[in-house]
Amino acid sequence: MDFPGQPCAAAGMTVMATKHIVAIPSWYSSGRGSGGGYFRDQALALQAAGHRVAILAPDIHTYRDLRAGRVSRAEAGRIEIARDGVVVYRRTRRVVVPRLPYRNAVSWSLSGLALFSGYVERNGMPDLVHAHCCLNA
């Protein structure tokens, strides 16, 4: 059965099977504007095409961030799940030695690996991992 807007198999086109996709952007604060809006819009478009999509947003913080209130002690090290049209998993990790290039790529990567591990535990292994603009991939 053909659906409006779907390619016709008889015309030599194939229909892509639904994929489980995880996007891991280098930054994702709000999902709006420069805070990650492009990543969110792309995830929503993939969802509209029928794919299962989640965003994993690792982050790092310093003691200075804690003192300034940019990160709460309750958020530190915990995996949070938000739904903003697309499922977003967040985890922040404390940087022990601040002011290294890219604010300590190793800590960011460790935060991302822990986040990915927790995601896979809950949702299974994705078909595709999209390291989106990932400086530390």
Side-chain angles (χ1 to χ4, degrees), residues 2-134:
D2 292 325
F3 298 96
Q6 293 289 322
C8 177
M13 301 176 125
T14 58
V15 178
M16 180 183 286
T18 299
K19 299 287 183 193
H20 178 187
I21 302 169
V22 169
I24 306 174
S26 282
W27 68 92
Y28 192 86
S29 59
S30 69
R32 301 288 190 271
S34 62
Y38 174 76
F39 308 124
R40 179 178 176 270
D41 291 346
Q42 187 178 48
L44 290 172
L46 288 167
Q47 275 185 177
H51 301 290
R52 181 176 158 205
V53 183
I55 294 175
L56 305 186
D59 199 5
I60 55 177
H61 67 273
T62 64
Y63 284 119
R64 183 179 292 169
D65 294 327
L66 283 171
R67 281 193 311 267
R70 290 185 287 266
V71 174
S72 73
R73 290 194 188 277
E75 291 174 338
R78 201 177 83 215
I79 294 176
E80 294 184 358
I81 304 169
R83 286 164 181 77
D84 187 19
V86 64
V87 178
V88 178
Y89 287 72
R90 298 177 183 277
R91 184 176 191 273
T92 185
R93 179 183 175 93
R94 186 175 49 85
V95 175
V96 179
V97 183
R99 300 189 188 270
L100 293 176
Y102 299 106
R103 291 192 66 199
N104 201 329
V106 172
S107 286
W108 188 91
S109 297
L110 290 172
S111 179
L113 288 171
L115 190 56
F116 184 77
S117 177
Y119 177 84
V120 169
E121 214 172 90
R122 291 183 181 126
N123 300 285
M125 186 65 74
D127 298 314
L128 176 71
V129 176
H130 184 75
H132 209 308
C133 297
C134 239

